[in-house]
């Protein structure tokens, strides 16, 4: 079976772009990816794309060209980008296609998300009582984790400090001003123990990747980045997820643990072989918990890792090298593909001021979101 | 026993007040699996009383007014605590936490079931279940 390669990447800057709709940001990203690959839209044999809240991806054929290609819409919450990539990867892996697009975009209103209980199969009282709030879930998962594994509030601040420092070096990031750990710690408390600057915000943006079979990539004369694993997993029994009025006493693993293990098995390498990682950082505590859930360190070891700066750009395992969701914001449908975009930039050695200062041969990315879905991607060059 | 004249539970079948306050779970008649809130389907799920005491599993404080809808609480908004309480042998249930200073909350704190007025309308007060520290637990 063929390897699947990434031969082009494009991004629309994250943050707020009032003059462009979400769809237009998606279109911008596709055009940028095609230019990067030196290819044309009419050469694309398929597209997988989606947004959570900014429109139907397949309508972009009106702007990009009526080439009659199959354009498959995906809608998987925070794993939308991962699902688009999974679709494109599988299409090429099957041997049926050898060149196509995976893309995602979004545009959310300001402030926390305001889900309707009925859409989530939940009773109305759950929303009325003020418990259907995503940030509460992240805070409560973290509170228990910190108590059991000895993580301090300073570690939460260090993660956000690193995010803003990295974001300042990334042209596509939203928040581009560094901030001291103490200021992050002292900012307004939102959901204890998480303060305002420890949470990412819903935002806007678009990302597109051009995928090719190994043969096609060679034919195009590109130095490809190889997609070694794309795994999407939903929650197993006993996991603790957002919007759970109750959970079982017998605990099960998180979907991230399942997705991560499967991705490493598929790639044939382990966490110790990874040179840098992009991990879902909805809040700074999520990044800390996801370091362990993805197998990069033991539960509780993060306290020392962060104190020693091991996840900074010059550390042993740089994490969220473009500032992650904390600095880029979270357009749900684009977030997972932004991580892959950033990993390709780093694997090409094209990160400029934020380039990890040693050879990068392998990169990992991970998203997690409601209602308990995780996607993991392993790239090598 | 709580007076019930001008007050009604936020939803039917969620908790009962007499003879003592209890959350109502639903036990799958086939698999024995316990769920909360109880699914409406009485043919498949048998209503069971859940323990009214347990240990605080985790918690946070809601420090901004949630978007409304879906939130419908008392106006003006005041910060409130939310947590999960492990009810032994049953489930870990998400709940509002009341009658406790936020800085007294601890994982493992013994809690007991109570109710509070979420809001009022022309028919009276609307009661929501909550947990509070067992006597002496928050000192």
């Amino acid at each position: 079976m063929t390897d699947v390669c990434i031969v082009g990447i494009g991004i629309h800057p994250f943050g707020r772009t009032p003059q462009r709709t979400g769809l237009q940001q998606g279109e911008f990203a596709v055009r940028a990816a095609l230019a990067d690959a030196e290819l044309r839209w009419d050469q694309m044999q398929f597209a997988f794309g989606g947004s959570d809240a900014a429109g139907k991806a397949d309508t972009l054929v009106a702007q990009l060209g009526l080439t009659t290609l199959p354009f498959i819409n995906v809608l998987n919450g925070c794993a939308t980008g991962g699902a688009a990539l999974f679709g494109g990867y599988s299409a090429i892996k099957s041997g049926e296609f050898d060149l196509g697009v995976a893309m995602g975009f979004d545009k959310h209103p300001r402030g926390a998300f305001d889900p309707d209980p009925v859409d989530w199969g939940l009773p109305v009282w759950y929303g009325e009582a003020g418990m259907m709030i995503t940030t509460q879930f992240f805070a409560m998962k973290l509170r228990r984790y910190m108590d059991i594994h000895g993580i301090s509030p300073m570690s939460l601040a260090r993660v956000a400090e690193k995010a803003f420092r990295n974001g300042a070096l990334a042209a596509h990031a939203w928040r581009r001003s560094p901030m001291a750990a103490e200021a992050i710690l002292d900012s307004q408390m939102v959901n204890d123990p998480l303060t305002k600057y420890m949470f990412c915000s819903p935002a806007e943006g678009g990302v597109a990747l051009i995928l090719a079979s190994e043969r096609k990539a060679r034919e195009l004369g590109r130095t490809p980045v190889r997609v070694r694993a794309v795994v999407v997993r939903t929650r197993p029994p006993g996991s603790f997820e957002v919007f759970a009025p109750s959970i079982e006493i017998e605990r099960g693993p998180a979907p991230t643990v399942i997705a991560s293990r499967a991705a490493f098995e598929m790639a044939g390498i382990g966490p110790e072989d990874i040179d840098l990682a992009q991990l879902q950082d909805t809040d700074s505590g999520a990044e800390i918990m996801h370091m362990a859930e993805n197998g990069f360190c033991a539960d509780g070891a993060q306290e020392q890792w962060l104190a020693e700066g091991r996840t900074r750009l010059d550390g042993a395992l740089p994490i969220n090298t473009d500032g992650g969701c904390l600095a880029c914001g979270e357009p749900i449908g684009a977030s997972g593909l932004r991580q892959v975009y950033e990993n390709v930039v780093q694997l090409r050695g094209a990160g400029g001021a934020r380039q990890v200062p040693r050879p990068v041969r392998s990169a990992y990315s991970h998203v997690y979101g409601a209602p308990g879905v995780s996607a993991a991607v392993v790239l090598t060059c | 026993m709580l007076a019930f004249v001008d007050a009604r539970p936020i939803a039917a079948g969620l908790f009962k007040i007499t003879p003592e306050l209890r959350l109502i779970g639903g036990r799958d008649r086939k698999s024995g699996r316990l769920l909360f809130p109880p699914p409406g389907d009485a043919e498949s799920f048998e209503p069971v009383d859940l323990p009214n005491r347990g240990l605080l599993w985790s918690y946070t404080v809601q420090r901004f007014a949630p978007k409304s809808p879906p939130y419908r609480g008392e106006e003006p908004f005041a910060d409130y605590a939310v947590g999960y309480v492990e009810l032994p042998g049953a489930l870990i249930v998400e709940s509002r936490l009341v009658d406790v200073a936020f800085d007294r909350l601890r994982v493992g704190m013994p809690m007991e079931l109570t109710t509070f007025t979420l809001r009022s309308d022309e028919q009276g007060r609307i009661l929501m279940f909550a947990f509070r520290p067992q006597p002496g637990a928050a000192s």
Side-chain angles (χ1 to χ4, degrees), chain A residues 9-73:
Chain A
I9 54 173
I11 195 163
H12 182 283
F14 278 36
R16 299 252 173 246
T17 310
Q19 71 274 25
R20 283 203 189 101
T21 65
L23 271 163
Q24 287 169 335
Q25 296 181 40
E27 179 193 344
F28 180 103
V30 172
R31 292 190 192 281
L34 288 168
D36 179 59
E38 296 173 11
L39 292 169
R40 300 182 314 272
W41 175 250
D42 62 23
Q43 293 171 284
M44 297 299 111
Q45 300 159 1
F46 66 81
F48 285 82
S51 80
D52 193 63
K56 298 182 195 308
D58 65 335
T59 62
L60 283 173
V61 295
Q63 283 73 38
L64 291 166
L66 301 173
T67 64
T68 75
L69 90 174
F71 198 132
I72 314 298
N73 288 341

Side-chain angles (χ1 to χ4, degrees), chain A residues 227-291:
Chain A
V227 182
R228 298 283 297 274
V230 184
V231 170
V232 181
R233 287 288 186 275
T234 52
R235 65 192 171 95
S239 73
F240 178 33
E241 307 300 339
V242 71
F243 303 153
S246 71
I247 52 180
E248 288 169 30
I249 290 175
E250 194 176 327
R251 311 297 316 124
T256 291
V257 174
I258 313 276
S260 171
R261 281 184 194 151
F264 283 122
E265 195 180 313
M266 194 171 171
I269 60 174
E272 65 283 356
D273 302 314
I274 294 294
D275 292 325
L276 63 90
Q278 319 295 335
L279 305 181
Q280 176 82 31
D281 57 336
T282 315
D283 62 275
S284 50
E287 179 173 317
I288 288 174
M289 293 185 285
H290 289 149
M291 287 166 67

Side-chain angles (χ1 to χ4, degrees), chain A residues 214-379:
Chain A
E214 193 178 16
R215 187 182 58 80
K216 189 75 180 177
R218 243 195 331 259
E219 209 177 282
L220 296 167
R222 307 291 299 186
T223 312
V225 166
R226 281 167 211 281
V227 182
R228 298 283 297 274
V230 184
V231 170
V232 181
R233 287 288 186 275
T234 52
R235 65 192 171 95
S239 73
F240 178 33
E241 307 300 339
V242 71
F243 303 153
S246 71
I247 52 180
E248 288 169 30
I249 290 175
E250 194 176 327
R251 311 297 316 124
T256 291
V257 174
I258 313 276
S260 171
R261 281 184 194 151
F264 283 122
E265 195 180 313
M266 194 171 171
I269 60 174
E272 65 283 356
D273 302 314
I274 294 294
D275 292 325
L276 63 90
Q278 319 295 335
L279 305 181
Q280 176 82 31
D281 57 336
T282 315
D283 62 275
S284 50
E287 179 173 317
I288 288 174
M289 293 185 285
H290 289 149
M291 287 166 67
E293 286 186 9
N294 285 289
F296 293 109
C297 69
D299 286 317
Q302 301 96 327
E303 187 72 11
Q304 196 181 343
W305 275 51
L306 289 160
E308 293 173 3
R310 294 177 72 171
T311 61
R312 296 195 310 220
L313 290 178
D314 59 353
L317 181 71
I319 292 178
N320 292 332
T321 49
D322 67 349
C325 294
L326 288 171
C328 295
E330 189 166 25
I332 288 181
S335 226
L337 294 177
R338 172 188 52 75
Q339 298 176 325
V340 176
Y341 171 93
E342 173 64 8
N343 277 344
V344 173
V345 168
Q346 292 283 346
L347 285 161
R348 288 177 175 179
R354 69 177 190 284
Q355 179 66 37
V356 168
R358 58 189 170 78
V360 179
R361 303 239 172 274
S362 60
Y364 180 89
S365 61
H366 154 262
V367 289
Y368 165 80
V373 58
S374 181
V377 180
V378 179
L379 304 182

Side-chain angles (χ1 to χ4, degrees), chain B residues 14-34:
Chain B
L14 187 61
F15 57 90
K16 64 180 188 188
I17 300 207
T18 53
E20 61 173 350
L21 185 62
R22 290 289 189 133
L23 294 178
I24 302 167
R27 191 180 297 284
D28 188 325
R29 292 180 196 271
K30 281 201 189 112
S31 69
R33 188 176 173 220
L34 195 54

